[in-house]
Amino acid sequence: MLDDRGELDERLIDSVWEQDAELKGNKQILLRICQRFDLLVELPEEQANDKWKKYLVPCVLKNQPIPDGYLKMQKIPPLYLMFDGGFCPPGLFHRLVVCCYRKWSSHDQNPYCDYACFKVDRSIHTILELCNEGDGTFKLMVGSLKRSVNVLEGDSAFQVLSYIMQELDRLIGAYFPYLKYNIGFRFPHGLEKLTEDLKTEMLESDDVCPPGCREVIETAPYRKWLRKNENTFCPSARIAVYPPDDLMCDLARNIGFEWEEVAAYLGVERPQIDHLKLNFPSDALGQIRNMLFQWREGMGACSNEERRDKLKKALARARRNDLADSLKLG
């Protein structure tokens, strides 16, 4: 069950810890710690045995093809959470899924590694779909399974979105304090940040309607919601972190073949490098860029001066003095 459905049964825990009295004796404390750090969530009683509790551990779910989703044909414009630099730390999506499981029940009986669906309002059959599309982008849709119901006309959908944003900001503040993101829409010309002056557009898209159908992406309800919450979202976006995203992308393009040497001098461990190669097998630039973002994330509360000095020394040791000399603060 753990491999196929991500369900951790108390009996499995007892079996694994049978030979370690200290771990077994502190089982409940350790489980509470895991829940506190958003790593797992206790499943409702109807999904568990009368005697044995079950927990969902999203991070152990196997990668599978992401399903089409229930709201694809409902003509509901999805929102996109776009993380700066195309980098999203491993584990953030699964922690967000755990937060949603705490509040709502699952709509789908088959959990996926990068997709989750929740029942958020049974009275009008409203569901929430979350999808990790990769490259630092989460897709988020709230809609009703009843075609006659437009949840964007009421407040229920935006209460759901507000909860997602609040939990995401909490997770970022707790685990990834320098991470920045924007909320946006996908138009024919690409992803575009949601702002108060973002215009409604008409487009042809197989994502929200049948092929060849012209669909209006209505942004007004979202813009109103954004105005109401403009002081509560994305607090981390106000933090000036070094190196900034544009410099990170420039470095990724220029480091070239010496990137593994630079990574070693930055303190990036070999398993992390191997993991990047597996995740981006034919994308050398993606390997380098994500290595730099992971290193920056791992610097935690270090000052910008400390970050600059460490990066400068690593580049110099890798004989890339041209790049090291170009690093400046501000």
Side-chain angles (χ1 to χ4, degrees):
M1 293 293 282
L2 184 61
D3 288 339
D4 296 331
R5 299 178 55 81
E7 293 181 3
L8 177 62
D9 193 303
E10 273 195 315
R11 288 169 290 186
L12 177 59
I13 300 174
D14 291 340
S15 175
V16 172
W17 290 350
E18 183 66 35
Q19 304 302 319
D20 194 316
E22 185 176 359
L23 284 176
K24 191 172 182 179
N26 291 292
K27 180 180 72 173
Q28 296 304 322
I29 295 175
L30 293 171
L31 285 171
R32 284 199 295 272
I33 290 174
C34 288
Q35 291 180 80
R36 174 64 183 82
F37 282 94
D38 307 295
L39 298 174
L40 52 79
V41 61
E42 185 176 342
L43 291 171
E45 293 182 2
E46 59 266 22
Q47 291 181 249
N49 185 283
D50 291 338
K51 183 178 179 182
W52 304 100
K53 293 181 180 179
K54 283 186 178 180
Y55 302 86
L56 180 73
V57 192
C59 63
V60 303
L61 288 167
K62 296 178 181 178
N63 283 312
Q64 302 178 53
I66 297 174
D68 286 340
Y70 297 95
L71 298 175
K72 182 177 180 181
M73 304 300 290
Q74 298 299 91
K75 300 184 180 181
I76 297 169
L79 283 179
Y80 291 86
L81 303 178
M82 306 173 294
F83 295 90
D84 285 9
F87 171 71
C88 176
L92 179 59
F93 180 78
H94 295 135
R95 282 185 161 102
L96 186 59
V97 168
V98 166
C99 295
C100 292
Y101 266 102
R102 288 200 190 108
K103 190 170 182 66
W104 303 297
S105 61
S106 174
H107 181 74
D108 201 320
Q109 297 302 312
N110 299 305
Y112 295 85
C113 181
D114 292 315
Y115 171 84
C117 184
F118 302 92
K119 303 172 185 175
V120 298
D121 189 339
R122 296 176 184 272
S123 63
I124 55 174
H125 299 277
T126 302
I127 64 172
L128 160 70
E129 290 185 338
L130 284 174
C131 178
N132 181 8
E133 296 203 326
D135 295 326
T137 304
F138 296 171
K139 183 167 74 172
L140 198 160
M141 293 182 74
V142 183
S144 174
L145 295 176
K146 288 187 173 181
R147 290 184 178 272
S148 59
V149 176
N150 181 1
V151 297
L152 300 184
E153 293 177 349
D155 292 331
S156 60
F158 299 105
Q159 290 171 358
V160 173
L161 296 176
S162 295
Y163 174 79
I164 294 292
M165 298 302 109
Q166 289 162 7
E167 287 301 295
L168 183 60
D169 289 338
R170 181 185 66 80
L171 292 171
I172 289 174
Y175 305 112
F176 318 103
Y178 292 98
L179 190 64
K180 297 185 289 184
Y181 71 93
N182 290 306
I183 309 166
F185 286 95
R186 174 165 283 156
F187 293 118
H189 46 77
L191 288 169
E192 187 169 335
K193 180 181 176 181
L194 172 61
T195 59
E196 288 192 29
D197 57 355
L198 183 66
K199 303 299 182 184
T200 296
E201 289 196 20
M202 181 173 284
L203 66 152
E204 292 185 3
S205 172
D206 295 350
D207 286 341
V208 293
C209 59
C213 171
R214 292 185 66 78
E215 176 64 22
V216 175
I217 295 296
E218 179 55 70
T219 64
Y222 292 102
R223 285 185 277 121
K224 180 181 178 182
W225 166 67
L226 183 70
R227 283 196 298 273
K228 289 175 62 177
N229 296 279
E230 60 183 351
N231 294 321
T232 60
F233 292 155
C234 308
S236 59
R238 293 192 290 270
I239 299 176
V241 61
Y242 188 89
D245 293 335
D246 56 347
L247 177 56
M248 297 276 273
C249 292
D250 288 341
L251 286 172
R253 283 192 294 270
N254 293 317
I255 287 177
F257 294 112
E258 293 90 354
W259 79 272
E260 291 188 47
E261 193 175 350
V262 172
Y265 292 136
L266 286 173
V268 179
E269 297 181 352
R270 188 72 229 178
Q272 291 177 271
I273 296 174
D274 293 338
H275 189 65
L276 288 168
K277 289 184 174 182
L278 287 173
N279 284 346
F280 305 92
S282 57
D283 182 7
L285 182 59
Q287 295 171 11
I288 303 170
R289 184 173 60 244
N290 281 276
M291 178 276 292
L292 289 171
F293 277 106
Q294 286 190 23
W295 163 74
R296 187 179 73 177
E297 192 65 42
M299 290 295 286
C302 293
S303 69
N304 286 342
E305 289 79 6
E306 291 173 313
R307 294 160 180 264
R308 190 272 313 273
D309 291 344
K310 188 174 182 70
L311 181 57
K312 194 168 186 175
K313 288 178 182 178
L315 290 168
R317 291 181 69 184
R319 298 176 299 282
R320 292 306 307 267
N321 291 299
D322 57 324
L323 297 178
D325 293 341
S326 69
L327 298 181
K328 298 178 181 178
L329 285 176

